[in-house]
Amino acid sequence: EPEVTQTPSHQVTQMGQEVILRCVPISNHLYFYWYRQILGQKVEFLVSFYNNEISEKSEIFDDQFSVERPDGSNFTLKIRSTKLEDSAMYFCASLGGSLVDVHFGNGTRLTVT
Amino acid sequence: AQSVSQHNHHVILSEAASLELGCNYSYGGTVNLFWYVQYPGQHLQLLLKYFSGDPLVKGIKGFEAEFIKSKFSFNLRKPSVQWSDTAEYFCAVISNTGNQFYFGTGTSLTVIP
């Protein structure tokens, strides 16, 4: 079964640094998403991406966040200046055109010190 | 705006008890519905999904869910829980545009042996 892969699995960074979280979605999927989950808490929607542009974003997804699909395969989430409260697990998901074939990556645990 | 509600935040059951976890959504159009389980320290795992057809959906590990369109609900059920079902359960909804893929706040289930 195809998989969504995320790298790195764990990243530690200092407050104020930029981080880029990478995701390789399923190759023929059309919709892509980023979520975050602070330890022990709910899964928070960050952004959805379709046709090479953001289709929906949450209040969390402010100016310090950006997404790109630079080469048609990778789907990246950039946090420009990390804050302590950005520490969380970040999940990527991709969705096929049928809107039922959803695949999640295993997540990147981001720790901001 | 679309939202997903899970009213049971924490449920404690004894083994062999029956389980029903509530999920309601607010969205005027057609939706696809999902239940995910997250075991401690692990990533999201799909339990079941509904997109069309029989509103009673059977998933893995003996779980099932019923879509009641008139009530905007998709409740998760299991006739007899086991200790190994202790986990966090998330309901999720995808809009018919694919742009909105939101999770409920989750229900923590603890099964006492």
Side-chain angles (χ1 to χ4, degrees), chain A residues 55-68:
Chain A
S55 49
E56 192 92 9
K57 61 182 180 179
S58 72
E59 293 177 350
I60 302 169
F61 196 88
D62 60 21
D63 291 345
Q64 72 161 340
F65 289 90
S66 62
V67 289
E68 270 192 324

Side-chain angles (χ1 to χ4, degrees), chain A residues 3-6 22-26 29-36 43 45-50 69 73 75-77 90-96 101-108, chain B residues 34 36 44 92 94 98 101-103:
Chain A
E3 288 185 351
V4 173
T5 55
Q6 288 187 243
R22 291 184 167 80
C23 169
V24 180
I26 306 299
H29 278 187
L30 302 176
Y31 303 87
F32 312 104
Y33 309 88
W34 281 102
Y35 298 87
R36 78 174 185 191
V43 178
F45 170 79
L46 292 177
V47 66
S48 60
F49 193 85
Y50 172 75
R69 196 154 187 252
S73 61
F75 179 50
T76 62
L77 174 70
Y90 288 80
F91 291 103
C92 166
S94 73
L95 174 67
D101 185 23
V102 179
H103 292 255
F104 277 87
N106 286 340
T108 293
Chain B
F34 303 78
Y36 286 87
L44 295 165
I94 293 178
F101 182 11
Y102 297 152
F103 282 76

Side-chain angles (χ1 to χ4, degrees), chain B residues 15-62:
Chain B
E15 272 193 320
S18 65
L19 170 72
E20 181 160 359
L21 301 182
C23 174
N24 288 89
Y25 65 93
S26 62
Y27 186 71
T30 304
V31 295
N32 295 330
L33 300 150
F34 303 78
W35 273 99
Y36 286 87
V37 61
Q38 188 177 37
Y39 299 103
Q42 296 191 27
H43 53 273
L44 295 165
Q45 181 180 357
L46 179 68
L47 279 177
L48 47 79
K49 59 188 176 186
Y50 171 81
F51 53 98
S52 67
D54 189 344
L56 184 61
V57 181
K58 294 195 183 300
I60 62 171
K61 303 178 189 285

Side-chain angles (χ1 to χ4, degrees), chain B residues 35-112:
Chain B
W35 273 99
Y36 286 87
V37 61
Q38 188 177 37
Y39 299 103
Q42 296 191 27
H43 53 273
L44 295 165
Q45 181 180 357
L46 179 68
L47 279 177
L48 47 79
K49 59 188 176 186
Y50 171 81
F51 53 98
S52 67
D54 189 344
L56 184 61
V57 181
K58 294 195 183 300
I60 62 171
K61 303 178 189 285
F63 286 91
E64 64 180 32
E66 185 175 14
F67 171 51
I68 302 179
K69 189 174 180 180
S70 61
K71 295 185 177 180
F72 296 88
S73 70
F74 189 55
N75 291 356
L76 181 71
R77 299 195 291 247
K78 185 171 183 178
S80 176
V81 295
Q82 301 170 310
W83 174 79
S84 56
D85 293 324
T86 295
E88 192 83 16
Y89 291 81
F90 294 95
C91 178
V93 177
I94 293 178
S95 66
N96 60 359
T97 63
N99 294 338
Q100 297 166 330
F101 182 11
Y102 297 152
F103 282 76
T105 52
T107 297
S108 173
L109 172 66
T110 301
V111 180
I112 301 170

